[in-house]
Amino acid sequence: MEFAALSNATQLGSFNPLRTNPESSTQYPLPFWYASFPSSSRRGCSCKAILSTHTPTSSHKMFGPHSADFELSALTALSPLDGRYWGKVKELAPFLSEYGLIYFRVLVEIKWLLQLSQIPEIVEIPSFSEGAESFLQGVIDEFSVNDALEVKNIERVTNHDVKAVEYFLKQKCQSNAEVAKVLEFFHFACTSEDINNLAHALMLKETMDSVMFPVMDKIIKALCDMAKDNAHIPMLSRTHGQPASPTTLGKEMAIFAVRLSRERKELSQVEILGKFAGAVGNYNAHVVAYPDVNWPHIAEQFVQSLGLSFNPYVAQIESHDYMAKLFHSLIQFNNILIDFDRDVWGYISLGYFKQITKAGEIGSSTMPHKVNPIDFENSEGNLGVANGGLSHLSMKLPISRWQRDLTDSTVLRNMGVGIGHSLLAYKSTLQGIGKLQVNESRLSEDLNQCWEVLAEPIQTVMRRYGVPEPYEKLKELTRGRAVTKESIRDFIEGLDIPEEAKMNLLKLTPDTYVGAAVELARTVENAVNVVNGMKI
């Protein structure tokens, strides 16, 4: 199904703050500065203003158009996800939009009717013929945006979104003789939350499986590739912002690949739960209507048939604990990615990475030379927005007064916000990674200026051979002092240690003092695959 961006009918050019409402003789309130113009010059006035010391009051408006003049479009949408960034997040729309919620409600209602038809004790619903089953499945498969709009039209009358779905299905299925006989068994013994909780669960399941996990895997794969490609490139470490023992660029990328893969695994192992136990979780109405049916067993079968795990102990709502766990894990994945974004931002600042430029792009409106790390900055910013929303979801949703209050309903409609900003951030990070070029000469330059990092291996070898106070001797040589290749070599030459050990130390340089970093980077995919139990 193709989801178009919001209507572009409203253009900026139509936003004239002085125009008259075509449906009324009343003019919009004029900006306070309009009175500053001589009456003779007001004709044809558009956007030029004269500074005034006049203080705006509640009766003055800086911008003229009334909200009634705005049609929903990419320019007027309140959320940038539905406007500026729509093209980057629209694959979430079939699952996390209002359309997606209605679609999965329709699916659950129809699947429940089909389940009822398979229960021998419910003689009022004979087993459907192949044709009737095909008809019902067709309602699901062919469900369109126009169908969703029809549900919304019904909701305007009912003022109840789930009941509107039931009425829609009754209308839709009147054309099939078999189904028309059992229309009152749509929504049989259900509370709205029986339908909603399964719809929300399916929305999340399909979102993660179809959209989020594949993009997460792309990030992890990109980091694995960076690790392997740069496994051999030495880099000065920095702890507390100060020079520290060298590593390799690849090994530092490998760290993030493994961290993200662990969190990705945590996300994939979250058990997505569903309930179907009626108004307060006891099958009260079910048992009265059909006392001989094992309703808990039927409910378990039904929930599992949708690819979900069954939660037998509930009130009116499914408790949302799994959602909290899922969103917390998503927050942690995002936190790790923020750490990566900031590190790469810093490496770009140090000159360790160059960025591939694109013809026509501008880095600064006033400084022509600028090539800014905007992709990593955009990613970091959107991850922060995402985590704010996901944090509220994870903290609020498990809390509901007594058997149920309605606070979760409005909050659940915002699942797409946190997940949407997460997706937007992931794509920004991937775009940024694609622009990176390693600047080996700059990396080498930093290493060659920091011979003091060899103090660590020298004092460690001195300890091995019993040289007294090795740490203190190296501290005296290096701390707060300029250290050169020559001063390090002179110190080593004067050590009372075996000649072979001395020669090995003399061969050591900041470029070669990287320990097992090269091998750790080269084998990162093995580590990632072990963590995930699957091949990335």
Side-chain angles (χ1 to χ4, degrees):
M1 176 175 296
E2 185 68 24
F3 279 78
L6 299 170
S7 167
N8 288 316
T10 303
Q11 302 295 325
L12 277 177
S14 65
F15 294 171
N16 182 350
L18 306 179
R19 76 178 187 269
T20 301
N21 186 337
E23 298 179 1
S24 169
S25 61
T26 304
Q27 282 197 327
Y28 296 119
L30 297 175
F32 70 87
W33 44 260
Y34 184 66
S36 301
F37 285 99
S39 59
S40 60
S41 64
R42 291 179 188 170
R43 294 186 184 89
C45 171
S46 55
C47 293
K48 294 181 180 179
I50 293 178
L51 293 176
S52 171
T53 57
H54 181 78
T55 302
T57 66
S58 60
S59 63
H60 294 104
K61 295 185 178 180
M62 289 296 292
F63 192 67
H66 190 273
S67 61
D69 298 305
F70 287 82
E71 294 181 13
L72 184 59
S73 75
L75 291 176
T76 61
L78 294 181
S79 168
L81 295 179
D82 299 314
R84 181 181 184 88
Y85 302 129
W86 170 255
K88 296 182 179 180
V89 299
K90 63 182 180 180
E91 60 262 53
L92 292 173
F95 312 119
L96 295 178
S97 63
E98 180 85 355
Y99 164 87
L101 175 58
I102 296 171
Y103 167 80
F104 284 111
R105 284 168 170 165
V106 166
L107 182 150
V108 172
E109 292 277 13
I110 290 175
K111 293 293 186 181
W112 179 235
L113 181 66
L114 289 167
Q115 176 84 21
L116 292 172
S117 73
Q118 301 300 313
I119 301 174
E121 291 87 347
I122 304 181
V123 296
E124 290 80 2
I125 312 179
S127 294
F128 289 121
S129 67
E130 185 176 332
E133 288 187 357
S134 178
F135 171 82
L136 289 168
Q137 186 61 44
V139 174
I140 298 172
D141 295 342
E142 297 168 17
F143 189 79
S144 67
V145 171
N146 285 334
D147 288 328
L149 288 171
E150 179 58 28
V151 174
K152 296 300 292 183
N153 287 334
I154 298 170
E155 185 186 342
R156 288 191 181 96
V157 178
T158 64
N159 197 30
H160 195 288
D161 48 3
V162 177
K163 204 66 178 176
V165 170
E166 178 189 342
Y167 288 170
F168 166 80
L169 288 172
K170 287 179 177 179
Q171 292 177 11
K172 191 82 170 177
C173 296
Q174 284 177 351
S175 61
N176 183 279
E178 280 186 64
V179 182
K181 295 177 182 178
V182 293
L183 292 179
E184 291 305 324
F185 281 89
F186 275 120
H187 203 70
F188 178 77
C190 295
T191 185
S192 295
E193 273 306 297
D194 285 332
I195 308 304
N196 280 336
N197 91 96
L198 297 184
H200 286 127
L202 291 170
M203 290 164 72
L204 285 172
K205 184 176 187 298
E206 292 302 318
T207 292
M208 297 305 297
D209 291 344
S210 300
V211 181
M212 301 303 283
F213 285 143
V215 179
M216 289 176 172
D217 290 343
K218 285 181 181 179
I219 293 174
I220 295 169
K221 178 66 166 60
L223 293 175
C224 286
D225 290 343
M226 287 182 72
K228 292 184 296 179
D229 292 345
N230 301 291
H232 63 289
I233 297 178
M235 182 180 81
L236 184 67
S237 292
R238 281 177 169 80
T239 59
H240 310 281
Q242 307 303 308
S245 300
T247 182
T248 72
L249 181 58
K251 184 261 179 176
E252 299 312 300
M253 300 299 105
I255 291 173
F256 287 105
V258 174
R259 290 177 69 191
L260 289 172
S261 67
R262 285 199 189 101
E263 213 53 47
R264 193 262 192 232
K265 182 179 181 181
E266 287 291 320
L267 279 160
S268 69
Q269 291 179 337
V270 174
E271 196 175 18
I272 298 182
L273 301 175
K275 58 85 68 172
F276 212 75
V280 292
N282 302 326
Y283 309 95
N284 303 52
H286 307 62
V287 171
V288 171
Y290 293 98
D292 296 330
V293 174
N294 185 346
W295 287 109
H297 177 66
I298 293 295
E300 181 175 11
Q301 280 186 326
F302 178 59
V303 171
Q304 291 176 345
S305 74
L306 299 175
L308 306 172
S309 296
F310 181 61
N311 185 355
Y313 290 93
V314 294
Q316 183 173 106
I317 64 172
E318 200 286 319
S319 305
H320 304 320
D321 296 329
Y322 84 86
M323 288 187 176
K325 186 174 183 179
L326 180 74
F327 295 142
H328 272 305
S329 292
L330 199 53
I331 288 170
Q332 183 57 17
F333 187 96
N334 291 351
N335 280 337
I336 295 169
L337 199 58
I338 289 173
D339 195 22
F340 172 78
D341 288 336
R342 290 179 178 176
D343 276 10
V344 174
W345 187 98
Y347 294 143
I348 293 171
S349 179
L350 292 170
Y352 291 178
F353 286 116
K354 295 180 180 179
Q355 297 178 95
I356 299 171
T357 58
K358 185 176 180 181
E361 284 191 349
I362 293 172
S364 167
S365 64
T366 187
M367 295 176 282
H369 69 284
K370 295 294 289 294
V371 183
N372 296 325
I374 57 173
D375 296 306
F376 299 104
E377 292 171 337
N378 284 340
S379 175
E380 180 184 342
N382 278 291
L383 290 169
V385 174
N387 284 359
L390 294 169
S391 177
H392 179 67
L393 287 169
S394 61
M395 291 188 295
K396 186 275 155 294
L397 288 174
I399 301 170
S400 184
R401 295 173 182 85
W402 295 337
Q403 282 67 55
R404 193 267 165 94
D405 65 44
L406 200 63
T407 54
D408 66 325
S409 178
T410 189
V411 172
L412 283 166
R413 292 181 183 276
N414 290 278
M415 292 193 301
V417 177
I419 294 174
H421 280 283
S422 297
L423 178 62
L424 180 58
Y426 301 165
K427 291 187 175 183
S428 292
T429 293
L430 283 169
Q431 186 167 303
I433 290 172
K435 295 179 182 177
L436 295 177
Q437 286 183 324
V438 178
N439 187 355
E440 291 190 51
S441 63
R442 181 71 186 88
L443 286 158
S444 180
E445 179 185 346
D446 259 8
L447 284 165
N448 288 331
Q449 291 177 354
C450 292
W451 280 79
E452 63 268 25
V453 298
L454 297 185
E456 181 190 38
I458 295 170
Q459 66 98 5
T460 303
V461 171
M462 290 167 66
R463 287 176 185 274
R464 174 183 176 182
Y465 292 107
V467 178
E469 298 183 333
Y471 179 89
E472 288 72 19
K473 287 183 170 66
L474 267 298
K475 178 182 175 183
E476 175 69 21
L477 174 70
T478 61
R479 195 163 193 255
R481 298 186 180 187
V483 179
T484 65
K485 176 181 179 181
E486 290 71 25
S487 63
I488 285 288
R489 290 180 66 86
D490 290 343
F491 182 86
I492 295 171
E493 292 282 8
L495 291 176
D496 184 18
I497 59 175
E499 194 63 25
E500 183 180 358
K502 186 179 293 186
M503 292 303 297
N504 286 336
L505 286 177
L506 288 169
K507 292 177 184 176
L508 205 57
T509 70
D511 292 75
T512 59
Y513 179 48
V514 295
V518 174
E519 186 62 20
L520 286 168
R522 284 176 177 164
T523 58
V524 65
E525 274 193 351
N526 294 337
V528 166
N529 292 337
V530 167
V531 166
N532 272 321
M534 57 181 285
K535 188 172 182 179
I536 293 292

